[in-house]
Amino acid sequence: MLRVLICAGALAVPLTAAAFTGGDLNKLCTKTDVASRSACAAYIEGAADGIFNTIDAIGGTTGPRVGQYFCLPPEARSQQLTDAVRKYIADNPNVAGYNASTAVSLGLGKVFPCKTGS
């Protein structure tokens, strides 16, 4: 019987794993408790950093490049990033179903586009 329960549990785990979506991120970011607000900001900053590093690894970030959605100025602050992403998701409801890191890229790109000719 124990073997059956272990096998059933092992099969159920992959079925419960789901992508963290833009809608999930927005729900997290609308919560008012300190832990949720910190988690929201940390996710957005981490996703932005990961995207930046990926672009850097495939060709650099010294100017607009294919796939580079945003260019953050050095003075950009955490709350500005969070506000940009939340506004983008609110203004574009279809983004709620996208992967959360994609929503971050698109939201930051709207507020912090790369300058052409840089």
Side-chain angles (χ1 to χ4, degrees):
M1 183 64 175
L2 182 58
R3 189 178 314 173
V4 171
L5 289 175
I6 291 171
C7 289
L11 293 174
V13 171
L15 299 176
T16 60
F20 190 60
T21 67
D24 296 332
L25 178 61
N26 197 45
K27 285 178 192 171
L28 177 66
C29 293
T30 58
K31 294 182 179 181
T32 57
D33 63 285
V34 174
S36 295
R37 294 180 62 82
S38 294
C40 166
Y43 182 89
I44 291 171
E45 289 179 43
D49 191 44
I51 294 161
F52 178 91
N53 287 329
T54 300
I55 293 167
D56 191 44
I58 62 171
T61 56
T62 57
R65 303 198 186 260
V66 174
Q68 188 170 354
Y69 295 108
F70 59 87
C71 292
L72 297 178
E75 67 276 3
R77 298 292 172 246
S78 180
Q79 190 60 51
Q80 291 172 294
L81 305 184
T82 299
D83 291 345
V85 172
R86 289 191 59 211
K87 180 170 178 12
Y88 189 81
I89 294 170
D91 292 347
N92 300 278
N94 61 313
V95 174
Y98 292 4
N99 182 286
S101 62
T102 301
V104 169
S105 293
L106 296 172
L108 295 179
K110 182 75 172 175
V111 175
F112 303 104
C114 296
K115 307 282 189 249
T116 56
S118 329

